[in-house]
Amino acid sequence: MTAFNPLRHLQGRKEDMSDSKRRNFIRGAGAAILAAPAVVAASSVRAQGVTQWRMQALWDGGTTPMAYEERFCARVEQLSGGTLQIRPFSGGQIVPAAQAFDAVRGGAFEMMKTFDGYTAGRIPSHGFSSTVPFGFPQGDQFEAWFYYRGGLEMAKRSYVDAGLTYIAPTIYGEEPIHSRVEIRHIADMAGLKGRFVGLASAVMADFGVAVSPLPTGEVYSALDRGLIDIADRGDVNAGVKLGHGAAQN
């Protein structure tokens, strides 16, 4: 598939934004180390002069991050004068979240909000554009690296080779480790079963964790059932929205 940029007119506007406006645009649900990029493929559906796309996000329906994705789709339609309509789907609604990268390449939908940790095993640079264990303590620090120290260029290159166009990340604050057991020292992680992906999976394996790369949507149920002991899975607010209280955070 040839890489191309169907949102070039929108991207041009974004590149002309001031730094402060750009940060506000991509901040999404807050400031963070996790970069969940929006990515677009070349295919589209046209009806009476209107281009209609489907986008699968990472998040469960009804959560704050998913609300931001819905707002993004509405904003694109507004800016395009109604000529580009993006219908958002929650994580796993069309395909499992970890399969979205290949699904959008195959034409199952035109756009995705993915997590680079899912593809870090085959695209090493994605380990650094996803969760960075013990990395930047503030989201603004990640933004500084991403926009001024080569992160954006690295991300764009990694998707061009797959025939996809990288648009922008959503950046969040530090994520907690959701745990069923008390952890006071790194040594306490040895022997636990944990869900981690990308660079985090390699780090946690070195700490003695038996790592399982579960899809995002299966993490809380796996914790509830005792299939895993600890997990990296989004921010606390998203968990509370799904009915998971502080006992797991």
Side-chain angles (χ1 to χ4, degrees):
M1 183 187 300
T2 302
F4 87 119
N5 191 347
L7 290 182
R8 188 175 302 279
H9 61 293
L10 291 179
Q11 286 183 320
R13 288 187 193 176
K14 182 167 72 68
E15 289 168 359
D16 291 338
M17 290 181 180
S18 67
D19 291 341
S20 61
K21 287 182 179 179
R22 177 171 61 189
R23 285 196 294 269
N24 289 334
F25 178 79
I26 65 167
R27 196 174 299 275
I33 324 173
L34 166 69
V39 180
V40 64
S43 59
S44 64
V45 176
R46 295 182 182 273
Q48 297 180 347
V50 176
T51 299
Q52 298 175 332
W53 286 355
R54 298 189 302 165
M55 179 186 79
Q56 179 171 291
L58 280 171
W59 331 110
D60 301 283
T63 61
T64 299
M66 189 61 196
Y68 276 95
E69 305 301 344
E70 292 162 354
R71 288 175 59 182
F72 167 78
C73 294
R75 182 62 171 157
V76 168
E77 183 172 354
Q78 179 188 34
L79 291 174
S80 67
T83 60
L84 176 56
Q85 299 175 356
I86 304 173
R87 181 183 175 187
F89 292 83
S90 58
Q93 196 171 354
I94 303 177
V95 300
Q99 298 176 18
F101 187 90
D102 291 323
V104 75
R105 293 180 67 200
F109 38 90
E110 291 73 42
M111 191 173 184
M112 65 177 172
K113 192 62 169 288
T114 189
F115 174 56
D116 280 349
Y118 293 142
T119 44
R122 46 178 161 157
I123 305 176
S125 62
H126 285 184
F128 297 93
S129 55
S130 54
T131 300
V132 181
F134 311 106
F136 304 101
Q138 300 294 329
D140 286 348
Q141 293 174 312
F142 182 94
E143 290 181 357
W145 167 77
F146 193 81
Y147 284 106
Y148 301 109
R149 303 296 293 179
L152 177 60
E153 290 72 22
M154 180 188 73
K156 286 182 176 180
R157 286 196 304 270
S158 71
Y159 279 91
V160 164
D161 291 342
L164 300 172
T165 297
Y166 185 98
I167 298 176
T170 300
I171 298 176
Y172 308 90
E174 289 184 288
E175 295 184 349
I177 290 180
H178 304 266
S179 180
R180 293 171 51 88
V181 300
E182 183 176 3
I183 299 175
R184 291 188 175 274
H185 307 281
I186 289 179
D188 295 338
M189 297 183 186
L192 298 181
K193 295 174 290 184
R195 181 270 183 182
F196 298 94
V197 292
L199 188 59
S201 64
V203 172
M204 292 301 168
D206 283 346
F207 291 159
V209 177
V211 175
S212 174
L214 292 173
T216 301
E218 298 179 16
V219 173
Y220 288 132
S221 62
L223 284 166
D224 286 340
R225 295 159 58 194
L227 300 178
I228 55 176
D229 304 304
I230 57 177
D232 166 20
R233 198 279 188 201
D235 63 4
V236 174
N237 182 58
V240 172
K241 289 281 187 179
L242 293 171
H244 299 273
Q248 290 182 349
N249 300 317

